[in-house]
């Protein structure tokens, strides 16, 4: 399955796939966290970068060797071995196994934002503050930096993000008498009715078991379903009144048969995107390129717009997907390892190439503002500057969103509780209660204090 | 194996030195025998006994994300026996076994007898065709059937629509078990047929001649001669099917990607153990579930075999 064009995509498809691995990681023996607090001096950095060193880097970003080559050119003393040990959860499982075994873990590893807390829990990540992480914090969109640095520590360097927008078929909406993308969720519901009546298409599909998409909608609506203090206290609030508002909105549309609930990221769904079964896709910034590869035959008919808003005139979005690069606490060359994680996602050329050649949607302000990136006119979207639009959207993502230290269980339980209800076109709010119960029971059984 | 008769030729000579030589010889032979089976035992111990022991050890502990590992005795087993998800998965497999295995073995037996009767034209080609699905890896087979079952673009649904029937939903929570039975049947009919066919070929032809003299036709011969003669082969396929059914894993884990709403995390006991270990991170509880599953399979297999032996004994004493 090397056909996924984007890193972040795997969040979507992997979260949807349940055949997922994560090794039990109970003993919190990550080799000691490196929170020494003493800042690394320039001399130490110079020395480390000029000492012959071998680093291992686990990542599933296609062709990342190109960026690693740039790093090796800049620091000839250091040689990096890139290893792709699997995508998403398979990768985490191997990472956990290596940490558990106390050997074989890489120096630097790709980690999606929502999984950072589970590695913080086991003290497996190196705090990058003493290595100078705060010097670069201002170079990223604020919410992305908050994802890797929830409190006084910094656990990783942001690599790519997935601010959410609306990709839609201009021709189908026009046929239904709609000239521009619905600006509010109310308008979206009306448009869904018109599209269904006039064309027979669904205005979009809500992936039945796609927790990432729903959590993105929560994020946009200002719902704070999770919190984690980095130690033993978690907050679980997936059935709050605000969350149920979002859920009820979708329940109504689904029960009126205006939104389909097919499982996403499989062949049926790809075909649905390509043949007009769905007139749109509420997706993340990695979606435009992905769609281009999936629905080639519909080139030129699609347009991009921000997500519909809960209140007219607002501009708020959520995020779905994205990764960072973290340094493992077990690394014997922490300075060089940090420099690698930083270089890949901070060096101007490296970050620019990640965005333009590997199509990872950038969190780096310098790339987002680069006219060469933002000004790309995509034929598939009728010549629209889609990157520029998503760069704007990226600024509107709520800056404060936390995860639980066991997101794999959260996603899989979502599938069991909410997912089955969405597929059966039932009451999503009621399913949120069930989800809440399951998560709370699990957290308590695992010894967490639940707030 | 050993060539004992060679020693018997020299029996009448003096016994004492003989005996020593015999035992020396015997020792040599024994040594050789042990040498030959050593590789098997090394791998058997390293790959089966040790992991089994480790899993058994793990199942006696409890580990939490906060607080680490503590000794739990049989708490995990007590929990499993009260776990509705686990019990439901065992029940689901029992239903699967009762419905799917007779169909699959019935078909396999029918095909084997048909091929063996010599009446079927092109039996070589037919044999290969029936066996072919077994050569397709389970993963590929499940992906293929997943496409065939597809509600929008699957060929079955498209044909049903074009002739005016509704779209059958093979992947709904109500139908998924039946769909899975179909996949497994398709996969394993050929395999079981080959076992039964091979057993049929080994029946001495005198029996057929006797049956013919008694005036038995093809069907009578099949019923009264062939099937009793391959009873042990049929029992073998039943035992294999029991083990296979209770261990179903590939099918649910792959169907889960196209029908995650229908395949729960505890759809089959094996899939449940896997999800407990790698998603819930409850490795110890997963080990207990796996152990219990092994126990269930052993009991069911044993009961089936015991019944069969009893029946065979009864028949012998009755004859």
């Amino acid at each position: 399955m090397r056909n996924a064009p984007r890193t972040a995509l795997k969040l979507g498809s992997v979260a949807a796939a349940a055949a997922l691995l994560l090794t039990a990681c109970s003993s919190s023996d990550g080799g000691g966290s490196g929170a020494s607090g003493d800042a690394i001096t320039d001399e130490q950095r110079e020395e480390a970068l000029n000492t012959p060193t071998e680093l291992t880097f686990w990542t599933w970003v296609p062709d990342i060797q190109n960026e690693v080559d740039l790093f090796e050119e800049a620091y000839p003393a250091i040689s990096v071995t890139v290893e792709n040990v699997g995508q998403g959860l398979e990768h985490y499982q191997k990472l956990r196994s290596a940490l558990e075994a106390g050997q074989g873990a890489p120096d630097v590893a790709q980690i999606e934002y929502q999984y950072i807390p589970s590695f913080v829990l086991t003290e497996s990540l190196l705090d990058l503050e003493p290595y100078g992480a705060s010097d670069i914090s201002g170079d990223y969109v604020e919410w992305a930096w908050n994802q890797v640095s929830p409190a006084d520590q910094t656990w990783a360097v942001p690599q790519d993000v997935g601010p959410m927008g609306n990709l839609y078929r201009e021709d189908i909406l026009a046929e239904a008498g709609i000239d521009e993308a619905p600006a509010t969720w109310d308008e979206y519901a009306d448009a869904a009715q018109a599209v269904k009546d006039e064309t027979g298409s669904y205005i979009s599909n809500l992936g039945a078991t796609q927790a990432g998409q729903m959590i993105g909608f929560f994020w946009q609506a200002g719902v704070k379903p999770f919190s984690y203090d980095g130690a033993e206290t978690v907050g679980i609030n997936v059935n709050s009144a605000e969350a149920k508002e979002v859920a009820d909105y979708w329940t109504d549309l689904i029960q009126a048969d205006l939104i389909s609930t097919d499982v996403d990221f499989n062949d049926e769904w790809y075909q649905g995107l390509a043949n007009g079964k769905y007139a749109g896709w509420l997706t993340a910034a990695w979606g435009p390129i992905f769609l281009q590869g999936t629905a080639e035959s519909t080139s030129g008919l699609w347009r991009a717009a921000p997500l519909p808003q809960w209140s007219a005139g607002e501009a708020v979005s959520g995020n779905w997907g994205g990764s960072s690069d973290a340094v493992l606490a077990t690394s014997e060359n922490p300075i060089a390892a940090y420099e690698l994680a930083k270089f890949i996602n901070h060096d101007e050329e490296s970050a620019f190439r990640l965005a333009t050649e590997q199509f990872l949607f950038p969190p780096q302000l310098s790339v987002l503002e680069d006219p060469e990136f933002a000004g790309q006119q995509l034929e598939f979207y009728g010549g629209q500057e889609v990157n520029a639009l998503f760069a704007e959207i990226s600024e509107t993502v709520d800056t404060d969103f936390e995860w639980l230290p066991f997101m794999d269980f959260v996603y899989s339980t979502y599938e069991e509780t909410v997912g089955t209800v969405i597929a059966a076109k039932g009451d999503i709010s009621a399913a949120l209660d069930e989800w809440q119960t399951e998560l709370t029971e699990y957290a308590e059984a695992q010894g967490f204090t639940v707030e | 194996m050993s060539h004992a008769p060679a020693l018997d030729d020299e029996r009448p000579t003096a016994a004492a030195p003989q005996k020593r030589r015999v035992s020396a010889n015997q020792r040599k032979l024994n040594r050789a025998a042990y040498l030959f089976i050593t590789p098997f035992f090394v791998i058997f111990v390293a790959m089966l006994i040790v992991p089994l022991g480790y899993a058994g050890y793990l199942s006696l502990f409890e580990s939490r994300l906060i607080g680490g590992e503590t000794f739990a005795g049989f708490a995990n087993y007590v929990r499993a026996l009260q776990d509705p998800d686990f019990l439901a998965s065992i029940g689901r497999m029992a239903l699967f076994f009762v419905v799917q295995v007779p169909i699959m073995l019935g078909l396999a037996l029918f095909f084997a007898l048909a091929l063996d009767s010599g009446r079927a034209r092109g039996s070589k080609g037919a044999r290969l065709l029936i066996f072919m699905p077994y050569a397709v890896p389970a993963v590929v087979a499940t992906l293929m059937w997943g496409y065939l079952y597809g509600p929008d673009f699957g060929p079955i649904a498209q044909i049903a629509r074009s002739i005016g029937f509704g779209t059958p939903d093979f992947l709904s929570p109500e139908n998924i078990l039946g769909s899975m039975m179909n996949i497994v049947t398709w996969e394993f009919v050929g395999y079981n047929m080959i076992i039964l066919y091979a057993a049929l070929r080994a029946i001495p032809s005198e029996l057929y001649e006797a049956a013919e003299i008694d005036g038995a036709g093809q069907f009578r011969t099949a019923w009264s001669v062939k099937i009793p003669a391959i009873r042990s082969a049929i029992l073998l396929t039943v035992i294999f099917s029991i083990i296979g059914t209770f261990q179903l894993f590939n099918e649910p884990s792959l169907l889960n990607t196209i029908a995650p709403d229908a395949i729960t995390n505890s759809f089959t006991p094996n899939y449940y153990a896997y999800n407990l270990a790698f998603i819930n991170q409850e490795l110890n509880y997963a080990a207990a579930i796996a152990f219990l599953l092994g126990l269930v399979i052993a009991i069911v297999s044993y009961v089936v075999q015991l019944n069969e032996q009893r029946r065979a004994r009864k028949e012998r004493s009755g004859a």
Side-chain angles (χ1 to χ4, degrees), chain B residues 36-53:
Chain B
F36 276 115
I37 56 174
T38 302
F40 164 79
F41 268 106
V42 168
I43 292 182
F44 178 73
V45 169
M47 299 292 158
L48 191 81
I49 301 295
V50 171
L52 207 64

Side-chain angles (χ1 to χ4, degrees), chain A residues 32-51:
Chain A
S33 147
S36 57
D38 291 342
I40 302 295
T41 61
D42 284 349
E43 291 82 48
Q44 284 172 299
R45 174 171 296 119
E46 278 308 304
E47 192 192 347
L49 289 172
N50 290 310
T51 312

Side-chain angles (χ1 to χ4, degrees), chain B residues 84-97:
Chain B
D85 287 343
F86 175 61
L87 299 176
S89 72
I90 293 276
R92 204 175 284 118
M93 288 308 95
L95 176 69
F96 193 99
F97 175 72

Side-chain angles (χ1 to χ4, degrees), chain B residues 97 101 237-247 297 300-301 304:
Chain B
F97 175 72
V101 170
T237 60
V238 172
I239 300 281
F240 280 176
S241 302
I242 293 169
I243 296 169
T245 300
F246 281 93
Q247 290 196 337
I297 294 174
V300 175
S301 306
V304 169

